[in-house]
Amino acid sequence: MKDRLLHTPEGVRDIYDSECERKNRVLRNIQDTLHLYGNMDIETPSFEFFQIFNHDRGSAPSNEMYKFFDRSNNTLVLRPDITPSIARSVAKYYPEEELPIRLSYTGHTFMNAPQHQGKLHETTQIGCELINDDSSAADAEMLACMIDCLKAAKLPEFQIVIGEMDFFKGLIRDAGLGEAEEAEIRGYLKIKNYFGLSEYLSRLSLPDEFKNIFSSFDRLFGGEEILLEAEKMPLNRTSLEAVERLKKVYQAVSCYGYEKYLSFDLGMVSGYHYYTGIVFRAFTHGTGNPVASGGRYNMLLSQFGKDAPSIGFVIAVDELMNALSRQKVEDPAPFFRAVVVYPIDWQKKAVELSVELRNKGIHTGLIRKSKRHTMEEYYAYAARFSAERLYTIQEDGTVEIRDQGGNLCDI
């Protein structure tokens, strides 16, 4: 039983030592970038009422949430998604604000995914939301901010793929398809099963022009030229306006000089049903899942009593860290670490030395020397915990300094 308790449950893991240190450093760099874009921090609870995330809100399926009850028999859930929590908070604390609200957050989300998928059940997310701005410029700002955040994380190469839910929904409405048919088509598009989609379309009573458009999703992927190709199709007004908006977004992102990071996929759909316009995902080497994603959700806040267009993105920190590790991205610690070992008679001197080192910005650990351990053990200890210097106060009060290799040095 004791050995079993040393292990974590399925889907969660410990992060410690240099891995945890590096993750926190990446988070700080991303947070700094989010603040540069004018975002203010917000923190919402790890669990809320089930109704915040139920199917009507367009969030996660009920059977993938961790649910429990409070003393009043209310059904609570560990949040599977942070955006609905932000929407609730904005409706509560900014009910009358009509000008842009920029909020950033860091937190954990919890999804009770099937075990065979091999996914983490607890993940770290960091992101931001822009409320009260329905412009294509706001869409571009979110894309630029996400690009700068990934650059701040030292990710060398990535690509952002952009879609438009209104393009897809406009086609569904124009074709007169119901919820069941839409869900089926979404399922094929989500896994990029274009052969299965074509076979399914052949069984529907649809005019050939609609079958041809839906079947063309496998070709509507690429650069800006895809938007020009889409404009030539016999589209309805909603879908054409969606394409025109993507052109404006592309032009606005070009003002940042970031167009090289963008590509388009007009067959992209989101698993979250609250997205209403532009949707996007960032991909890189070393992971098959997106390291970041986002989109526009103009109707979500109205479910909490505030009519406000909104857009946001989230970075999947665990996927990002996997990608950085597999790409062997160098990220040396930006600080110096030291250990001070001293005999009890020289405690005051050791404390003064450690304070002096800390005042210089050096991360310093203080250890009173024990007769049970040799100096070789202290040298090995300092190396294990990445201390660049080991300061040893001798019996006569002099200070000996050695590097990680055990060599004497001056500093």
Side-chain angles (χ1 to χ4, degrees):
M1 183 64 181
K2 280 186 178 180
D3 288 343
R4 183 184 176 190
L5 291 178
L6 292 177
H7 299 280
T8 60
E10 182 75 27
V12 295
R13 59 184 290 260
D14 298 314
I15 302 175
Y16 64 100
D17 207 352
S18 59
E19 182 186 1
C20 187
E21 190 175 276
R22 187 179 188 191
K23 178 179 177 179
N24 287 333
R25 191 158 60 246
V26 167
L27 282 169
R28 286 193 296 271
N29 290 341
I30 295 174
Q31 285 169 339
D32 288 345
T33 303
L34 292 172
H35 292 157
L36 288 173
Y37 273 79
N39 290 288
M40 298 184 299
D41 289 334
I42 185 171
E43 186 174 312
T44 60
S46 295
F47 62 88
E48 298 208 40
F49 293 117
F50 168 70
Q51 288 78 6
I52 300 295
F53 305 100
N54 65 15
H55 182 71
D56 292 338
R57 308 277 186 237
S59 199
S62 175
N63 64 347
E64 293 188 6
M65 297 186 202
Y66 284 97
K67 296 188 284 288
F68 55 101
F69 301 97
D70 64 10
R71 291 174 182 267
S72 301
N73 212 33
N74 295 306
T75 303
L76 308 177
V77 296
L78 292 174
R79 62 185 179 203
D81 176 20
I82 297 180
T83 297
S85 293
I86 304 293
R88 174 195 57 75
S89 298
V90 171
K92 180 179 180 180
Y93 300 113
Y94 303 93
E96 306 302 327
E97 182 60 69
E98 297 180 356
L99 290 173
I101 302 168
R102 291 176 170 84
L103 300 172
S104 59
Y105 61 86
T106 304
H108 290 188
T109 58
F110 306 86
M111 290 284 282
N112 192 12
Q115 292 186 6
H116 68 271
Q117 290 185 359
K119 292 182 178 180
L120 286 173
H121 293 190
E122 178 185 17
T123 58
T124 305
Q125 295 189 349
I126 182 170
C128 66
E129 313 291 343
L130 175 52
I131 318 295
N132 284 335
D133 193 336
D134 193 27
S135 67
S136 57
D139 297 351
E141 181 182 325
M142 284 292 102
L143 289 167
C145 183
M146 190 166 81
I147 291 168
D148 279 334
C149 285
L150 294 176
K151 290 171 66 178
K154 306 294 193 299
L155 190 64
E157 293 184 24
F158 57 89
Q159 193 72 17
I160 297 175
V161 183
I162 302 172
E164 240 287 355
M165 291 305 300
D166 278 344
F167 180 84
F168 172 76
K169 290 178 178 179
L171 293 175
I172 293 291
R173 285 196 298 268
D174 203 32
L177 297 175
E179 290 185 5
E181 291 86 0
E182 178 183 349
E184 193 78 19
I185 293 173
R186 272 178 180 266
Y188 288 117
L189 289 176
K190 190 175 179 180
I191 61 175
K192 303 297 182 187
N193 183 358
Y194 298 115
F195 178 80
L197 175 61
S198 179
E199 189 177 76
Y200 175 71
L201 291 171
S202 68
R203 301 198 299 267
L204 296 180
S205 298
L206 279 177
D208 288 342
E209 65 175 292
F210 286 111
K211 290 184 179 180
N212 292 336
I213 293 175
F214 282 118
S215 297
S216 68
F217 278 136
D218 63 337
R219 302 192 307 275
L220 294 177
F221 179 91
E224 185 187 17
E225 70 280 357
I226 294 301
L227 303 181
L228 302 177
E229 182 179 336
E231 283 185 320
K232 299 175 183 177
M233 292 179 165
L235 300 175
N236 61 83
R237 181 177 177 182
T238 300
S239 298
L240 279 173
E241 287 178 349
V243 174
E244 185 60 31
R245 184 178 177 102
L246 288 182
K247 289 172 65 178
K248 292 178 181 178
V249 171
Y250 183 84
Q251 292 167 0
V253 174
S254 298
C255 294
Y256 292 87
Y258 287 165
E259 63 271 23
K260 68 178 181 180
Y261 294 104
L262 305 185
S263 58
F264 296 93
D265 179 3
L266 295 181
M268 178 187 291
V269 293
S270 174
Y272 290 135
H273 291 273
Y274 52 67
Y275 284 124
T276 58
I278 187 173
V279 288
F280 43 88
R281 298 173 190 151
F283 294 92
T284 188
H285 311 296
T287 174
N289 298 314
V291 294
S293 60
R296 178 163 288 284
Y297 51 98
N298 285 351
M299 305 304 295
L300 181 59
L301 269 79
S302 65
Q303 298 184 43
F304 299 102
K306 180 180 175 66
D307 291 326
S310 309
I311 185 171
F313 72 83
V314 62
I315 294 175
V317 178
D318 302 280
E319 292 293 345
L320 174 61
M321 299 309 297
N322 285 339
L324 291 170
S325 175
R326 290 166 184 167
Q327 293 181 32
K328 296 181 169 43
V329 176
E330 294 291 334
D331 184 24
F335 52 80
F336 199 85
R337 181 178 281 132
V339 172
V340 175
V341 177
Y342 67 95
I344 184 60
D345 293 339
W346 292 100
Q347 185 174 37
K348 187 173 188 299
K349 184 181 180 70
V351 170
E352 291 172 346
L353 175 58
S354 65
V355 169
E356 179 185 345
L357 292 171
R358 289 167 187 156
N359 287 339
K360 293 178 180 178
I362 297 173
H363 295 205
T364 305
L366 200 56
I367 303 177
R368 193 175 77 183
K369 191 174 185 298
S370 170
K371 293 180 180 179
R372 290 177 297 168
H373 299 289
T374 65
M375 283 311 302
E376 285 70 23
E377 288 178 297
Y378 286 116
Y379 297 145
Y381 167 85
R384 283 199 306 276
F385 287 90
S386 305
E388 287 82 0
R389 294 289 185 272
L390 177 66
Y391 293 76
T392 306
I393 299 180
Q394 307 298 307
E395 294 297 336
D396 61 0
T398 59
V399 179
E400 179 185 275
I401 309 173
R402 294 182 181 268
D403 61 19
Q404 283 186 327
N407 305 306
L408 286 168
C409 52
D410 296 327
I411 57 172

